[in-house]
Amino acid sequence: MPVNHLIDLNDWSRQNWEKIIRLALEIERNPRQFYGRMEGKILAALFYEPSTRTQNSFKSAMMRLGGQCLGFSNPQNSSVAKGETLADTIRIMNGYADIIAIRHPMEGAAKAAAAYSSCPVINAGDGGHLHPTQTLTDLVTLTRETGRLDNLTVGICGDLKYGRTVHSLIKALTQFPNNRFILISTKELAIPAYIRVLLNAAGCQYQEVSSLTEVIGDLDVLYMTRIQQERFQSEEEYQRQKHIYILDTEKMSLARPTMKVLHPLPRVDEITPEVDDDPRAVYFKQAHYGVYTRMALIITLLEEDGFVSAPFRGTPHSDEPCSNPNCITHSESYLKKSYLETSNMLMCEYCEHKKLI
Ligand code: CP
């Protein structure tokens, strides 16, 4: 019997996302109706990287459903510090919990964890790669706040290179008709090549620009992001990129009255505190919708069938190292490398990085 997992939202049909969005909104309307639904179930929250929202909204979701939680928020306080592999940690947790939410600094870590798990694994963020539960939260927020997931002009501003929430959100919104993207960043922090390929393949209109002021008036949605200091190779590089994009009341005065501002949070300085009082700023509501979204996700993964992740399909080139230094196959060297071959390229099935052959 295949096990349900959420590794990449694009492993599932759009109908499956819509089912979870509908359930999240139903829970928001009447949360008490769902209290006790997960009584006797345990969530393992394995956080190899810091988190406030994702970790605690998962725990809050499981507790509101009547279940319980265990895990770690700092791997240094677990046997990871003694050298335990990811595979062994997952095998052990399978005996202690019914569902696992994992955040890890290496890209492809959740897919690797799922390969060793007999219970559902949820990707709570894998390095700079994906953050699908944030994206589900973003889709719930957009549905709730704009009434639709199509025909949107979406501006995404800031760190489009390392921002995993950006990658997951673009991947998701390309699946709905007539969405248009305005990607606002410096050249150094532009979207990775694989996202450009995906946008082109989906036939989506997109522009890459450097000025927020020039485009803010065209947007239905502005998705602000933090410059991800922890993912830069050098401090100098980060210093050159920080403080470039700041949303303030002056820029908000150029935006449409109906525009909504989202941010996955945490913020550093990219939105000034004065903007918080603008009714178009919905990022704190967005974080609250995250609890309903994760309640819906836990119920679905533990009660429904057909929410599986894409299987490994690549076989050849198993000795070829992945070209991405942040790929999980480097830190967990026992993992079977797996690539999909596309014309003259190999794409790693864990982190989706491509290399020429
Ligand atoms: N949005 C988000 O992932 O926040 P945390 O890093 O606090 O979990």
Side-chain angles (χ1 to χ4, degrees), residues 40-72:
K41 298 289 185 194
I42 297 175
L43 167 85
L46 309 183
F47 277 67
Y48 292 73
E49 258 195 346
S51 163
T52 296
R53 270 147 296 276
T54 312
Q55 180 180 190
N56 290 301
S57 62
F58 262 117
K59 290 179 179 172
S60 173
M62 192 49 142
M63 289 192 256
R64 283 176 197 274
L65 290 167
Q68 292 179 294
C69 306
L70 50 76
F72 53 77

Side-chain angles (χ1 to χ4, degrees), residues 47 50-55 103 124 131 134 164-165 226 264-266 294:
F47 277 67
S51 163
T52 296
R53 270 147 296 276
T54 312
Q55 180 180 190
R103 171 171 288 189
H131 193 347
Q134 179 64 51
R164 56 193 172 198
T165 62
R226 172 178 70 92
L265 304 178
R294 291 176 176 106

